[in-house]
């Protein structure tokens, strides 16, 4: 997918030098300069602040114009009203890309802010400066040492996120990292007076470092271009889109947040049907789908075998799976016969779902034979196993050890199965059960098994995984 | 609601003496005898086991017939095949109620189990013994010292739960206790060869200790009776029903679990519309609705004011609320003007949702004035406030202290508001942020503020709260 000529946005992601305009002297430990230094950015860093001689051990300059070397990229951490003047400085200096972190422009819903935004955009455009923002967090790109948050993981990954929300992007990075998955590039682009979602999407479509694209948008200026960019991405990789502002109230909220016109729900409905982009309603849903896309080979169909403790819990799980678009067919008689010999208790269901065992240690005992038996049944395409760790709080002195042991048995059994498997661990709301689940989950994730907090989250994510692959197959029948 | 004559089921809940048939010698610390002793049951306890002289310090008897005093209630913890013989013993002894804990009857889906069940039921009926079960956990009734789980809370409350699932009932008790709410009575009744959901519901309808009824059912034998029982309950208290097996796959799973015929989805749809019972799809949903019913005065309408950090997070919250049947109207211009003076940052939305602040400590600062301003706006009926604690992991050394302080400010501000309020605390998946949220949640729950883990959970629960009150008003126009 790489072309001879570098992509015009390459300069956005590979700055050799960065100026921090409005570098903070009041909070030097967590300001932008410290953030980039600590995160491992290895290019030239130039703090700009007329009232400081040095920030974080680096010489500070009164203006961008005073910086001796070339400046590829500038971050504006200054009051909105100063933006035009500083943009002029950047034009004069030959800065290639400016990230306007500052808010206080059109999203305020007032003439003053709108005017200011138009003015800044015009200066940048005339001067040949590309702009990210305003009113946004900018870039998180661990491989290049770029971040907008000092606590993000430094480990590079293959997921990229194009986001019209800043705080939401922070939440999202955590949600994904917590699932053991890392990022290629996260772009929070805010009001988008220049670079907009389609620009970033087009770049990511041919970015070899990006395998999965997620996107949070409130509105798009050029619907046609957005559609084409998404289609281009989908030719080679999955794209998940959270279109915010799809409800009447939500559309109003979007105007207030990023001055976006949300567009009608029916238009977006057609968009999803036409493109095969994966729709999501919450940031958690996006993270759940990414986990399925990365850790689960696509099942051959929608028929799930459910394995876990509790008859009623199994019936609820079954309804939940079917509501999410999956099927829970009865196992073959031969499978049921075999399961009856394995299930430890009289009265345990073996029809599908199968009730694995009463205790955590029994669960581990059941996994080996039980999962292999279910796996062998031609009636099912994948396995969903659940463990309600939350009901053992205060009862089992060695709970964490037992749960981790169960996870280890599950992980090693999973390696022998022919069909995809996902796990649900109910953590409850006690530090004891939660700690046990977090450790067990880590083991399972490391073994390549996707883990979800609820059956609902798992069923929705896997259903979307299957839908994506079905849609990709339809659009590329020759492949 | 109390009548002169005691309700015929009073003897189920007030046993003066209990025989444990099949009292465990192999696990005396967690067996039924130890469980009841430790839980504070103050009546006579008789272990029955032909191979033991004493269990947990109590004299053991070879059979029920050998017990010297009268026996009100017997728990069968024995292999299914022994049930007929021991039921004969109980008839001979004049036992009033038998709880058959044992599984291995009709739910096995085999002739043998079905026959055994019919046989036991006939012996009990002829002998005038009422039966709970088989294949169930029986009773949790803290006020009477009855429990099926040694770790349940001993604190009595006002919620009762009629459950066709055992392990599910255990999960449910934890889910509700974790929300700071306690139980009057939990009844896990399994295959229901005698006492069935309608019996328990009729009892709870006039039970002065029960203010809210929840019900998990897979199927009912006598639809008419079930309908009438639910209607009777709804005349004085809310009833939440999780009807499992509503999907095609789920119906099959229900047959396998408790030999229940699930009934068609459309019949149950009519049931909910006709009765005004509150529908739920998962145990978590029931617990969430109970929290709203107990801790939130019903809002006058569906218009919510959303307050919290993050513009995009607010737009997602808005869509989520509207999808759950709520409305997020713009505030009056005067409210917005006032909010603009309070929000700490340029560019923060004030239209509704309102962006409270960037940090945890700013959030606390905003609560007092901000919430009062939103509360005063006639455009809204209640407030939903959210705090994404999950995005502060590893960044704030005194996180727990800050989050708890924010919760305390929120709690004290809430006392001054004229409209209902609920809170969402995003806990994330790090022990640090989770611990902070658990403590903050406890403070808020103690202050009478319902706390939810997601906007979705809160919006669904509050929407159901409003729906219930609307339906109750329609059916009692004179009240």
């Amino acid at each position: 997918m790489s072309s001879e000529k570098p992509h015009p946005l390459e300069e956005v992601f590979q700055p050799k030098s960065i100026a921090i305009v409005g570098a903070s002297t009041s909070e030097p430990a967590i300001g932008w300069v410290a953030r980039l230094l600590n995160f491992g950015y290895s290019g030239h860093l130039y703090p700009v602040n007329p009232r400081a001689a040095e920030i974080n051990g680096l010489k500070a300059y009164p203006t961008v114009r005073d910086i001796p070397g070339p400046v590829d990229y500038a971050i504006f951490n200054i009051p909105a009203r100063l933006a035009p003047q500083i943009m002029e400085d950047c034009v004069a200096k030959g800065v290639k890309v400016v990230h306007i972190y500052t808010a206080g422009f059109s999203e305020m819903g007032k003439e003053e802010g709108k005017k200011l935004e138009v003015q800044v955009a015009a200066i940048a455009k005339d001067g040949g400066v590309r702009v990210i923002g305003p009113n946004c967090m900018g870039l998180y790109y661990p491989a290049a040492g770029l971040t907008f948050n000092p606590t993000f993981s430094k480990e590079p990954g293959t997921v990229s996120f194009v986001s019209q929300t800043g705080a939401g992007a922070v939440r999202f990075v955590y949600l994904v990292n917590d699932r053991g998955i890392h990022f290629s590039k996260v772009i929070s682009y805010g009001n988008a007076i220049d670079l907009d979602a389609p620009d970033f999407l087009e770049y990511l479509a041919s970015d070899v470092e990006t395998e999965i694209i997620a996107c949070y948008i409130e509105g798009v200026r050029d619907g046609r271009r957005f559609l084409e960019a998404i289609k281009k991405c989908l030719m080679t990789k999955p794209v998940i889109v959270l279109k915010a502002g799809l409800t009447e109230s939500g559309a109003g909220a979007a105007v207030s947040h990023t001055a976006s016109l949300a567009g009608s729900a029916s238009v977006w409905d057609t968009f999803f049907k036409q493109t095969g982009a994966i729709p999501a309603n919450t940031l958690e849903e996006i993270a759940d789908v990414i986990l399925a896309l990365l850790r689960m080979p696509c099942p051959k169909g929608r028929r799930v075998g459910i394995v876990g403790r509790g008859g009623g819990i199994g019936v609820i799980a079954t309804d939940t799976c079917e509501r999410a678009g999956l099927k829970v067919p009865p196992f073959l008689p031969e499978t049921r016969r075999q399961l009856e010999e394995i299930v430890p208790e009289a009265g345990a269901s073996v029809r599908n779902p199968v009730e694995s065992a009463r205790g955590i240690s029994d669960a581990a005992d059941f996994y080996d034979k039980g999962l292999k038996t279910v796996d062998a049944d031609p009636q099912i395409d994948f396995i969903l196993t659940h463990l309600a760790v939350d009901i053992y709080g205060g009862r089992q002195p060695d709970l964490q050890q037992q749960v981790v042991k169960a996870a280890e048995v599950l992980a090693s059994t999973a390696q022998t199965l022919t069909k995809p498997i996902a796990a649900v661990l109910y953590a409850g709301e006690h530090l004891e059960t939660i700690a046990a689940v977090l450790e067990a989950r880590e083991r399972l994730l490391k073994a390549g098994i996707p883990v979800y907090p609820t059956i609902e989250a798992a069923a929705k994510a896997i259903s979307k995984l299957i839908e994506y692959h079905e849609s990709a197959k339809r659009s590329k029948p020759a492949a």
Side-chain angles (χ1 to χ4, degrees), chain A:
Chain A
M1 293 301 299
S2 66
S3 52
E4 299 294 306
K5 218 177 86 185
H7 191 282
L9 258 65
E10 206 62 55
E11 61 193 23
V12 168
F13 294 102
Q14 308 290 351
K16 291 192 185 66
S17 51
I18 301 179
I20 311 291
V21 190
S24 174
T25 54
S26 61
E27 41 171 15
I30 57 160
W32 279 99
V33 179
R35 218 173 278 177
L36 292 176
L37 275 177
N38 296 335
F39 206 69
Y41 174 67
S42 60
H44 298 283
L45 256 185
Y46 301 111
V48 174
N49 186 329
R51 287 180 306 276
E54 193 186 288
I55 288 175
N56 292 108
L58 296 174
K59 180 173 163 50
Y61 299 88
T63 74
V64 174
R65 297 182 200 241
D66 302 311
I67 295 168
V71 175
D72 284 351
Y73 193 100
I75 299 174
F76 284 15
N77 182 35
I78 41 107
R81 66 188 157 73
L82 301 180
Q85 174 203 323
I86 294 168
M87 187 61 82
E88 300 272 17
D89 289 351
C90 288
V91 170
K93 179 68 189 169
V95 173
K96 292 174 190 159
V97 181
V98 165
H99 158 216
I100 309 180
Y101 171 63
T102 309
F105 293 88
S106 65
E107 80 283 359
M108 306 272 287
K110 289 182 179 164
E111 273 317 304
E112 190 194 340
K114 282 180 203 165
K115 259 190 189 162
L116 201 59
E117 190 169 285
V118 170
Q119 191 187 353
V120 172
I123 298 166
K125 195 174 181 190
D126 292 349
V129 178
R130 304 307 307 256
V131 181
I132 304 172
N135 181 28
C136 69
M137 305 301 288
L139 303 182
Y140 164 52
Y141 178 18
L146 299 176
T147 191
F148 46 83
N149 185 301
T151 67
F152 283 172
S153 165
K154 290 180 186 175
E155 196 176 328
T158 59
V159 176
S160 288
F161 183 48
V162 177
S163 177
Q164 212 170 353
T165 167
V170 179
R171 272 206 78 218
F172 183 69
V173 171
Y174 281 120
L175 284 170
V176 172
N177 279 173
D178 286 342
R179 283 159 178 77
I181 295 167
H182 296 89
F183 284 94
S184 174
K185 298 164 188 74
V186 174
I187 307 128
S188 155
Y189 65 90
N191 298 7
I193 60 171
D194 173 27
L195 291 169
D196 205 344
D199 298 292
F200 298 111
L201 290 168
E202 276 167 19
Y203 176 80
L204 296 173
S206 54
D207 177 26
V208 291
E209 292 176 344
T210 297
E211 284 176 19
I212 295 179
I213 299 170
C215 180
Y216 169 92
I217 40 157
E218 297 183 353
V220 287
R221 285 196 181 76
D222 184 344
R224 184 91 241 142
R225 234 196 110 202
F226 180 79
L227 180 75
E228 292 309 322
I230 291 282
K231 278 185 179 168
K232 193 178 166 200
C233 294
L234 280 160
M235 286 173 69
T236 52
K237 44 194 101 175
V239 183
I240 307 139
V241 177
L242 197 173
K243 171 61 187 74
L246 276 183
T247 67
E248 196 193 321
S249 305
V255 171
S256 173
H257 178 219
T258 50
S260 293
L261 289 174
S264 80
S266 72
V267 165
W268 283 98
D269 211 35
T270 309
F271 162 84
F272 283 108
K273 276 187 197 133
Q274 235 184 56
T275 58
I278 306 167
N281 285 333
T282 62
L283 297 173
E284 286 84 348
E285 274 184 30
I286 310 182
D288 287 339
V289 176
I290 289 173
L291 181 61
L293 284 165
L294 277 178
R295 299 277 179 270
M296 206 167 166
C298 186
K300 292 221 171 74
R302 298 181 164 274
R303 301 168 307 164
V304 52
I306 300 176
V307 176
R309 188 210 166 177
I313 295 172
V315 181
I316 297 173
T318 303
D319 278 336
T320 303
C321 282
E322 187 149 328
R323 286 193 182 104
L326 304 173
K327 286 283 164 196
V328 191
F331 295 128
L332 290 182
E334 173 57 18
T335 306
R336 295 195 223 178
R337 203 195 50 71
Q338 287 177 30
L339 286 172
E340 264 167 18
E341 285 172 20
I342 308 168
V343 291
E345 284 169 60
S349 303
V350 293
R351 181 190 182 273
N352 191 17
V354 50
E355 280 186 79
S356 60
R358 178 152 296 177
I360 300 274
S361 54
D362 304 353
D365 292 343
F366 181 80
Y367 283 143
D368 186 53
K369 274 194 190 169
L371 292 177
K372 282 176 187 158
T373 307
V374 170
D375 183 58
D377 191 305
Q379 291 296 100
I380 65 126
D381 303 306
F382 67 103
I383 300 173
L384 192 55
T385 178
H386 59 91
L387 189 59
V389 177
D390 54 354
I391 63 179
Y392 297 100
R395 286 173 82 181
Q396 197 131 352
D398 53 352
L399 181 75
Q400 185 145 350
Q401 198 186 322
Q402 291 279 349
V403 175
V404 170
K405 198 195 135 199
E408 280 169 353
V409 175
L410 177 56
S412 67
T413 304
Q415 310 307 323
T416 69
L417 303 178
T418 63
K419 293 170 185 166
I421 183 167
V424 170
L425 298 177
Y426 287 109
E429 315 202 31
H430 294 275
L431 284 178
E432 183 199 3
T433 52
I434 292 166
V437 163
L438 289 181
E439 195 185 337
R441 188 177 70 155
E442 209 184 317
R443 305 288 175 105
L444 290 170
L445 289 173
K446 275 194 183 142
I449 301 172
V451 181
Y452 293 93
T454 63
I455 295 279
E456 201 172 353
K460 276 188 181 176
I462 297 168
S463 187
K464 285 178 182 182
L465 168 74
I466 297 169
E467 222 157 280
Y468 165 71
H469 282 282
E470 284 171 354
S471 157
K473 212 182 278 174
R474 273 197 304 275
S475 64
K476 279 170 288 190

